[in-house]
């Protein structure tokens, strides 16, 4: 297991053997939007390249968490962790191969909780990870009032749909297409948006509140997107990652060779050396171009959803949540994948719109979220003082959105909680909606983890193979591993003895936090804190 803990000043990784803001007088609807593999490449997160006017418009009227982290940078484990508010070590899901209700515990999900409170719950697209990880039903009927919707065109995602330079169809990484030439003349996220709008219309006049979750498939690979979005990002304007090389002191166990990218036909033609590459620079630029184009494509679908909410006069009664399951490396550290614990893969957007709380509904002249056509108005100036810079986690989403919608937030789980159906291993962040953020929380931490190859994922925190320590004040890109230059073997031995003396009921993330404190006791950063 590859363990990772970060504070506002530094970040520690160890590699072990792996085999209330609003008054709750009225229940609000919830529109829960999740992208797939979307890092914080959005205008509202200070990305100067991307064109994301609709999401930026949402963020301008919302509460924006600037430093939100996924608990694992893999789809199924992250989604199950967020939707149950349990960490991967509780769900026992580190891959795609088990159903948590059978494998670990009958934990209540976010939509299931809303359903139990009288909400009509609906799922469109990729919300739970499909397959055995959600019992081949997207956890229906536990989580949803009706069977989950999946776009019919998604079945072509892994087939030869990408026309190459030879005029033939291939299974490529880069797959910008003419939508009219695709089966059915559509793409998965276009279909999902259509269905989500249809469901919103069906609930517009209902007396019962709804919880609608919409999961977009992009910017997940392959980049099978409408080809016109590439025009937003001319290749001569694209740049390489600022730190494209594998860090010299990166432990081999911390590197992932991005096999899912390598198996694509257009990448295979490049004959890239294994495991470190690198990919030719001209192809790197094209990958980055396609990723950003995929983000703008998703942004347009978000804009369609939000404008429909306006047109149906549902905005004033609906909490909107926008997030992602995890990020994706675009060449940073020589990586082209998720599958790591660097910030580019674990840090995600997290945006909450709460009518009457994050914005004054009376200030809207016509509508809150008019659709912005990215091709005619690609830039939207993000302006918002309702931002939170302190670290939060995706396990915080369940209790926070419950509170904001008018329900009671689940209580925090006891130390031993494997059999408890309803509780949270996160924190209710609704209190941060009351006031502007003050000082930095120097004790705040975020915990992410990633399993290393084995027949079955295992956790053995006593068998440490390597360590990483990044001083984020001076090294925000996490390129300089200082672990071995700061800590001696004797320091490590002493800490391991202290850790071994802890009671077995102490959670893994608490062990990591204590380990970080032990190892860095007395250290000073440029900010003057250990």
């Amino acid at each position: 297991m590859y363990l990772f803990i970060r504070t506002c000043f530094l970040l520690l990784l160890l590699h072990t053997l792996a085999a209330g803001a609003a008054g709750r007088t009225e229940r609000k609807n919830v529109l829960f939007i999740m992208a797939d593999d979307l890092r914080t490449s959005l205008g509202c997160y200070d990305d100067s390249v991307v064109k994301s006017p609709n999401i930026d418009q949402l963020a301008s009227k919302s509460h924006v968490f600037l430093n939100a982290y996924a608990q694992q940078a893999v789809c199924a484990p992250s989604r199950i962790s967020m939707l149950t508010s349990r960490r991967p070590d509780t769900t026992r899901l580190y891959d795609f191969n088990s159903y948590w209700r059978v494998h670990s515990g009958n934990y209540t999900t976010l939509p299931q909780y809303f359903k139990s409170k009288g909400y009509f719950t609906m799922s469109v697209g990729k919300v739970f990870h499909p397959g055995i990880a959600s019992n081949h039903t997207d956890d229906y009927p536990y989580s949803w009032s009706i069977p989950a919707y999946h776009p019919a065109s998604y079945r072509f995602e892994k087939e030869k749909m990408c026309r190459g330079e030879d005029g033939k169809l291939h299974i490529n990484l880069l797959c910008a297409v003419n939508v009219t030439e695709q089966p059915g003349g559509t793409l998965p996220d276009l279909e999902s948006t259509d269905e989500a709008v249809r469901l919103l219309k069906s609930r517009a006049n209902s007396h019962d509140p709804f919880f609608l979750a919409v999961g977009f498939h992009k910017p997940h690979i392959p980049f099978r997107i409408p080809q016109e979005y590439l025009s937003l990002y001319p290749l001569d304007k694209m740049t390489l990652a600022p730190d494209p090389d594998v860090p010299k002191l990166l432990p081999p166990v911390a590197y992932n060779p991005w096999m899912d990218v390598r198996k694509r036909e257009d990448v295979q033609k490049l004959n890239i050396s294994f495991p470190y590459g690198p990919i030719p620079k001209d192809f790197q630029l094209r990958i980055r171009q396609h990723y950003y184009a995929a983000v703008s494509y998703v942004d347009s679908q978000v804009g369609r959803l939000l404008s429909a909410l306006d047109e149906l006069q549902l905005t004033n009664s609906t909490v909107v949540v926008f997030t992602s399951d995890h990020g994706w490396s675009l060449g940073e550290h020589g990586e082209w994948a998720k599958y790591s614990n660097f910030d580019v893969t674990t840090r995600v957007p997290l945006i909450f719109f709460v009518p009457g709380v994050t914005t004054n509904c009376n200030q809207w002249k016509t509508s809150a979220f008019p659709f912005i056509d990215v091709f005619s108005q690609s830039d939207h100036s993000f302006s918002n003082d309702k931002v939170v810079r302190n670290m939060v986690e995706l396990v915080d989403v369940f209790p926070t959105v419950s509170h904001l919608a008018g329900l009671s937030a689940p209580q925090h789980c006891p130390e031993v909680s494997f059999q408890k159906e309803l509780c949270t291993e996160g924190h209710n962040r609704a209190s941060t909606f009351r006031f502007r953020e003050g000082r930095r929380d120097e004790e705040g931490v975020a915990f992410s983890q990633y399993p290393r190859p084995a027949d079955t994922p295992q956790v053995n925190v006593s068998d440490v193979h390597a360590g990483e320590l990044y001083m984020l004040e001076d090294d925000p890109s996490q390129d300089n591993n200082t672990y071995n230059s700061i800590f001696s073997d004797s320091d490590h031995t002493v800490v391991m003895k202290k850790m071994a003396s802890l009671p077995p009921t102490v959670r893994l993330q608490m062990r990591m936090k204590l380990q970080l404190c032990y190892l860095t006791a007395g250290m000073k950063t440029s900010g003057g804190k250990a």
Side-chain angles (χ1 to χ4, degrees):
M1 184 65 65
Y2 173 28
L3 305 172
F4 179 103
I5 191 167
R6 61 177 63 74
T7 73
C8 57
F9 296 109
L10 46 78
L11 170 155
L12 172 70
L13 306 92
L14 295 177
H15 307 279
T16 63
L17 182 62
R24 290 179 284 173
T25 57
E26 180 182 353
R27 295 185 302 172
K28 294 181 173 64
N29 304 312
V30 176
L31 175 58
F32 190 93
I33 308 171
M34 193 187 318
D36 199 353
D37 288 18
L38 175 63
R39 53 196 255 163
T40 54
S41 291
L42 297 169
C44 51
Y45 282 81
D46 290 331
D47 190 302
S48 60
V49 175
V50 75
K51 301 180 189 305
S52 53
N54 291 286
I55 297 173
D56 295 345
Q57 178 177 240
L58 170 66
S60 293
K61 298 178 173 66
S62 299
H63 202 65
V64 180
F65 291 93
L66 297 181
N67 290 290
Y69 290 90
Q71 276 45 80
Q72 187 176 324
V74 181
C75 299
S78 176
R79 289 164 185 263
I80 299 304
S81 175
M82 173 167 45
L83 293 170
T84 62
S85 198
R86 307 297 186 103
R87 299 179 187 276
D89 287 320
T90 301
T91 65
R92 298 298 193 212
L93 182 65
Y94 307 100
D95 49 28
F96 309 93
N97 300 322
S98 62
Y99 179 43
W100 79 93
R101 294 191 191 275
V102 174
H103 187 65
S104 58
N106 189 29
Y107 306 131
T108 302
T109 69
L110 174 61
Q112 180 184 3
Y113 180 54
F114 275 75
K115 183 183 175 187
S116 73
K117 299 299 182 181
Y119 276 69
F120 192 83
T121 58
M122 303 161 284
S123 173
V124 172
K126 186 177 179 181
V127 179
F128 285 100
H129 192 84
I132 192 173
S134 56
N135 202 33
H136 299 283
T137 63
D138 293 79
D139 201 44
Y140 174 80
Y142 300 106
S143 290
W144 311 112
S145 302
I146 55 177
Y149 170 87
H150 288 284
S153 60
Y154 181 72
R155 72 182 185 89
F156 299 104
E157 224 28 24
K158 297 182 180 180
E159 297 187 15
K160 293 186 176 183
M161 291 286 115
C162 317
R163 193 168 301 281
E165 295 176 355
D166 57 3
K168 299 179 181 179
L169 295 178
H170 298 273
I171 301 176
N172 285 348
L173 174 67
L174 310 183
C175 192
V177 299
N178 182 335
V179 175
T180 63
E181 296 177 355
Q182 296 298 293
T186 189
L187 291 173
D189 287 345
L190 298 175
E191 283 192 279
S192 291
T193 306
D194 290 342
E195 176 64 9
V197 171
R198 187 191 71 80
L199 289 173
L200 284 175
K201 291 178 178 178
S202 73
R203 305 304 303 174
N205 297 317
S206 174
H207 295 295
D208 295 326
F210 65 79
F211 181 104
L212 173 59
V214 182
F216 293 115
H217 287 87
K218 298 304 166 195
H220 192 291
I221 64 171
F223 301 121
R224 182 169 165 247
I225 59 172
Q227 60 190 10
E228 56 267 26
Y229 285 90
L230 292 182
S231 67
L232 297 171
Y233 303 96
L235 268 177
D236 60 356
K237 302 295 184 182
M238 300 304 297
T239 59
L240 299 174
D243 51 349
D245 299 321
V246 179
K248 293 180 179 179
L249 299 179
L250 184 74
V253 71
Y255 184 81
N256 184 284
W258 27 281
M259 292 303 297
D260 54 349
V261 167
R262 290 175 183 271
K263 69 182 181 182
R264 306 286 170 173
E265 292 182 31
D266 52 349
V267 178
Q268 288 179 355
K269 288 171 57 178
L270 301 174
N271 195 27
I272 300 167
S273 62
F274 184 86
Y276 295 113
I279 292 177
K281 291 183 179 179
D282 59 337
F283 201 83
Q284 290 187 40
L285 291 173
R286 293 183 65 201
I287 295 176
R288 290 171 66 87
Q289 176 197 38
H290 279 70
Y291 183 92
Y292 277 101
V295 174
S296 293
Y297 168 50
V298 169
D299 178 81
S300 292
Q301 308 320 305
V302 172
R304 290 176 59 201
L305 267 182
L306 296 176
S307 64
L309 205 66
D310 265 351
E311 292 169 7
L312 295 169
Q313 299 182 355
L314 290 169
T315 305
N316 287 352
S317 58
T318 304
V319 172
V320 179
V321 183
F322 179 84
T323 190
S324 172
D325 51 358
H326 46 71
W328 208 77
S329 292
L330 282 172
E332 296 86 359
H333 312 106
E335 293 267 20
W336 297 92
K338 37 206 168 190
Y339 313 131
S340 83
N341 280 322
F342 286 118
D343 275 16
V344 287
T345 68
T346 57
R347 183 171 169 236
V348 296
L350 184 58
I351 299 169
F352 286 84
F353 167 79
V354 186
V357 176
T358 61
T359 187
N360 185 346
C361 303
N362 295 326
Q363 292 179 345
W364 305 335
K365 296 180 180 179
T366 54
S367 64
F369 303 118
F371 177 77
I372 301 175
D373 184 351
V374 69
F375 295 101
S376 60
Q377 187 182 345
S378 61
D379 297 322
H380 178 85
S381 178
F382 172 65
S383 176
N384 192 344
D385 59 2
K386 299 182 180 67
V387 297
V388 176
R389 291 178 174 80
N390 284 320
M391 285 179 289
V392 299
E393 302 174 285
L394 288 186
V395 286
D396 301 338
V397 169
F398 188 152
T400 304
V401 70
S402 298
H403 183 111
L404 295 173
L407 305 181
S408 297
Q411 296 299 307
H412 199 74
C413 293
E415 280 298 310
V416 180
S417 63
F418 288 103
Q419 300 305 317
K420 191 171 176 61
E421 292 185 9
L422 179 61
C423 64
T424 175
E425 293 179 2
H427 298 278
N428 180 1
R429 302 293 181 179
S431 62
T432 66
F433 288 66
R434 295 180 182 274
F435 311 105
R436 293 184 184 180
E437 185 178 55
R439 64 179 181 83
R440 177 161 49 176
D441 181 3
E442 297 171 359
E443 301 299 322
V445 299
F447 182 82
S448 306
Q449 60 192 105
Y450 188 80
R452 288 302 159 187
D455 291 336
T456 57
Q458 302 174 20
V459 178
N460 183 352
V461 295
S462 64
D463 190 358
V464 176
H465 283 212
E468 292 175 77
L469 182 68
Y470 299 95
M471 300 299 180
L472 298 183
E473 290 281 325
D474 302 318
D475 182 25
S477 297
Q478 302 157 16
D479 296 316
N480 183 26
N481 179 17
T482 65
Y483 188 89
N484 288 333
S485 64
I486 292 178
F487 304 128
S488 66
D489 290 342
S490 59
D491 291 332
H492 181 77
T493 300
V494 170
V495 169
M496 288 299 100
K497 287 182 178 179
K498 289 184 177 181
M499 300 304 294
S501 67
L502 294 173
T505 55
V506 177
R507 291 180 184 273
L508 183 58
Q509 67 269 18
M510 179 55 69
R511 290 175 179 271
M512 283 292 291
K513 182 176 182 180
L514 292 172
Q515 198 160 329
L516 178 66
C517 292
Y518 291 150
L519 285 169
T520 59
M523 289 175 53
K524 300 292 183 181
T525 68
S526 60
K529 295 295 291 185

